[in-house]
Amino acid sequence: MENNYKIETRCVQSGWKPQNGEPRVLPIYQSTTFKYDDSDQMGRLFDLEETGYFYTRLQNPTNDAVAAKITELEGGVAGMLTSSGQAAYYYAVFNLCEAGDHIVASNTIYGGTFNLLGTTLKKQGIDCTFVNPDDSYEELCKAFQPNTKAVFAETIANPSIVVLDIEKFAKAAHDHGVPLIVDNTFATPINCRPFEWGADIVTHSTTKYMDGHAMAVGGAIIDSGNFDWMAHADKFPGLTTPDESYHGITYAEKFGKGAYITKATAQLMRDLGSIPSPMNAFLLNVGLETLHLRMPRHCENAQKVAEFLSCHEKVAWVNYAGLPDNKYHALAEKYMPDGTCGVMAFGVKGDRATAVRFMDQLKLIAIVTHVADARTCILHPASHTHRQMTEEQLKEAGVAPDLMRLSIGIENADDIIADLEQALAII
Ligand SMILES: *Cc1c(COP(=O)(O)O)cnc(C)c1O
């Protein structure tokens, strides 16, 4: 990879490298299968002795080019796409754990991932201890068990907007011989590259800023290549002992820094099959080309809106790390000096019903179950995404019952503020 190129150039040019006479734009290889002239070569592909395509459930050239681009943006060594963010989180964790294992996760993570780690994985015999991301290093360490295999947290938590102290989490993970998995969906590699702060694996819901236009659900997993599986061989037998379901291959021996992603592809994707459609990968790639232009605008607009809301008499509170008095301002300045993201949380004075009346009055800003795309939108997690959580769990997850999640798009900030202003005038 051309490591010297700046991140803006990587957004535009990484991944698809056409040869002489090939299409300039990444082609959509909408084919389930690939043809070979001789049977031996096909056999070598199945043995992972040669690299090449044979069936799109395992690998597809369009998907691989986009995975390679995101890998270069994050500064990793290998990456893969999945059909959704949820699939990425499942694979990222399940690639390291089996029944009887345990993980540590931040309790402010996205509701869907909270359910995945706390409920669904538990049914598969993998336990999770949730920790408060603001806990001290010493307190974090208490959550670890001899069977702990990974730590999971979000750079910027959805929807509570808690900013993660990545170095603190990385130290706790590494001191216990396990990798740190960081979900970088909200910051994107434009604003934060968690590998530079000690994270080992990065995940994404590419559905959000990376796609940027709310066109395709998708996910990605990127490996830094920094975690030494062999140094902790007893903890990770899936990577350090022969895989009988794959001709006795030992991934960490045969693939070195590529071991983690190779296992996730050759074993998990083979068996569980959550691949993106090549068409969706193509759309994601179009989004990635302008990610470096959109993120600064999202942040600039969000800063103006956060400042407007925080001065408004009918607004009870605003949580946006770009505000100087925000609890996470210092962490954001350290890890994301160019800005955090376009998403903020706030509450209006009054009760839950006031929040609903306010939202129903908005005209430009739409109520949608989405965040982090070009169009400004709003959601009330307690009535929408997080409605399956108890009041107690909501509180623990940093989601106040009156919390509204506002995702600022790339429209003109004055129009967004005017819409908020007219809705606030009504309540
Ligand atoms: C959206 C989101 C998810 C879920 O991703 P999907 O692509 O919808 O499966 C998980 N975590 C975070 C932080 C998200 O923003």
Side-chain angles (χ1 to χ4, degrees):
M1 95 168 147
E2 282 105 346
N3 254 320
N4 299 331
Y5 286 136
K6 305 256 187 309
I7 200 151
E8 296 83 356
T9 309
R10 295 184 196 193
C11 278
V12 181
Q13 297 261 1
S14 288
W16 173 244
K17 305 267 161 56
Q19 303 300 305
N20 189 40
E22 285 189 339
R24 183 68 193 91
V25 173
L26 171 65
I28 306 166
Y29 285 91
Q30 198 70 40
S31 179
T32 60
T33 193
F34 300 83
K35 171 197 167 272
Y36 289 92
D37 289 338
D38 87 77
S39 148
D40 272 358
Q41 189 181 6
M42 181 87 100
R44 287 195 298 278
L45 292 176
F46 269 100
D47 285 347
L48 305 182
E49 290 297 338
E50 242 182 69
T51 54
Y53 297 97
F54 47 101
Y55 190 57
T56 283
R57 169 150 44 76
L58 285 116
Q59 281 188 293
N60 171 283
T62 308
N63 297 354
D64 279 5
V66 182
K69 176 178 281 188
I70 300 174
T71 303
E72 290 194 25
L73 293 178
E74 288 288 3
V77 297
M80 69 195 285
L81 298 187
T82 56
S83 53
S84 68
Q86 286 306 118
Y89 310 132
Y90 179 52
Y91 282 33
V93 171
F94 197 55
N95 204 34
L96 299 173
C97 298
E98 55 189 46
D101 286 344
H102 171 261
I103 57 169
V104 173
S106 160
N107 66 8
T108 58
I109 55 174
Y110 172 76
T113 317
F114 186 89
N115 288 335
L116 168 70
L117 303 184
T119 307
T120 302
L121 277 180
K122 191 170 247 159
K123 291 180 188 162
Q124 300 186 0
I126 298 164
D127 251 327
C128 181
T129 299
F130 288 103
V131 294
N132 182 334
D134 297 338
D135 276 353
S136 68
Y137 166 81
E138 289 72 25
E139 279 174 289
L140 277 184
C141 288
K142 291 185 195 146
F144 288 80
Q145 303 176 6
N147 60 343
T148 302
K149 299 299 167 73
V151 178
F152 184 93
E154 293 170 358
T155 331
I156 305 172
N158 175 4
S160 60
I161 321 295
V162 169
V163 176
L164 185 72
D165 189 341
I166 305 172
E167 286 189 315
K168 179 178 71 182
F169 267 67
K171 178 165 167 47
H174 297 159
D175 287 350
H176 293 84
V178 302
L180 171 63
I181 305 170
V182 168
D183 183 66
N184 198 30
T185 296
F186 271 17
T188 82
I190 301 302
N191 285 341
C192 182
R193 284 167 304 282
F195 294 155
E196 294 172 4
W197 303 100
D200 302 286
I201 292 152
V202 159
T203 56
H204 281 279
S205 165
T206 61
T207 317
K208 312 298 164 50
Y209 289 117
M210 283 191 167
D211 170 300
H213 304 79
M215 294 185 296
V217 173
I221 311 171
I222 312 298
D223 183 9
S224 67
N226 291 337
F227 195 84
D228 187 348
W229 308 108
M230 278 304 189
H232 306 281
D234 54 319
K235 278 193 195 290
F236 303 103
L239 285 152
T240 61
T241 62
D243 177 3
E244 292 316 327
S245 82
Y246 225 115
H247 324 297
I249 278 176
T250 299
Y251 295 102
E253 267 172 9
K254 195 165 166 69
F255 299 102
K257 285 182 181 297
Y260 175 86
I261 292 293
T262 304
K263 176 178 179 286
T265 305
Q267 190 190 71
L268 298 188
M269 200 55 102
R270 177 196 64 187
D271 297 348
L272 301 169
S274 319
I275 50 143
S277 131
M279 179 70 208
N280 278 4
F282 173 85
L283 292 172
L284 169 58
N285 189 53
V286 174
L288 287 167
E289 289 183 6
T290 57
L291 184 65
H292 65 294
L293 297 174
R294 290 182 284 108
M295 287 312 291
R297 175 57 86 94
H298 281 291
C299 294
E300 186 190 316
N301 280 357
Q303 185 69 29
K304 288 181 188 163
V305 171
E307 284 166 12
F308 162 78
L309 287 174
S310 63
C311 295
H312 200 286
E313 52 171 17
K314 291 186 184 171
V315 172
W317 56 274
V318 183
N319 187 4
Y320 185 66
L323 295 174
D325 61 348
N326 186 268
K327 184 177 173 190
Y328 298 101
H329 188 69
L331 280 178
E333 291 267 280
K334 172 178 172 180
Y335 292 113
M336 294 160 244
D338 297 333
T340 53
C341 66
V343 184
M344 68 190 68
F346 75 106
V348 289
K349 289 179 185 160
D351 53 12
R352 248 169 117 141
T354 318
V356 172
R357 263 199 299 135
F358 163 78
M359 283 194 301
D360 286 346
Q361 185 61 31
L362 293 166
K363 295 184 168 63
L364 177 72
I365 303 170
I367 303 172
V368 297
T369 309
H370 200 249
V371 277
D373 73 70
R375 292 167 275 287
T376 300
C377 61
I378 195 163
L379 185 91
H380 185 216
S383 342
H384 306 138
T385 45
H386 287 56
R387 59 188 297 138
Q388 75 288 347
M389 286 170 82
T390 63
E391 292 276 319
E392 187 64 17
Q393 282 176 326
L394 279 177
K395 246 184 238 140
E396 267 179 27
V399 184
D402 68 338
L403 181 151
M404 284 179 281
R405 184 181 68 184
L406 180 60
S407 172
I408 302 300
I410 54 175
E411 304 95 338
N412 187 302
D414 294 345
D415 291 333
I416 302 168
I417 289 171
D419 195 30
L420 291 165
E421 200 158 28
Q422 64 81 23
L424 283 166
I426 298 290
I427 59 169

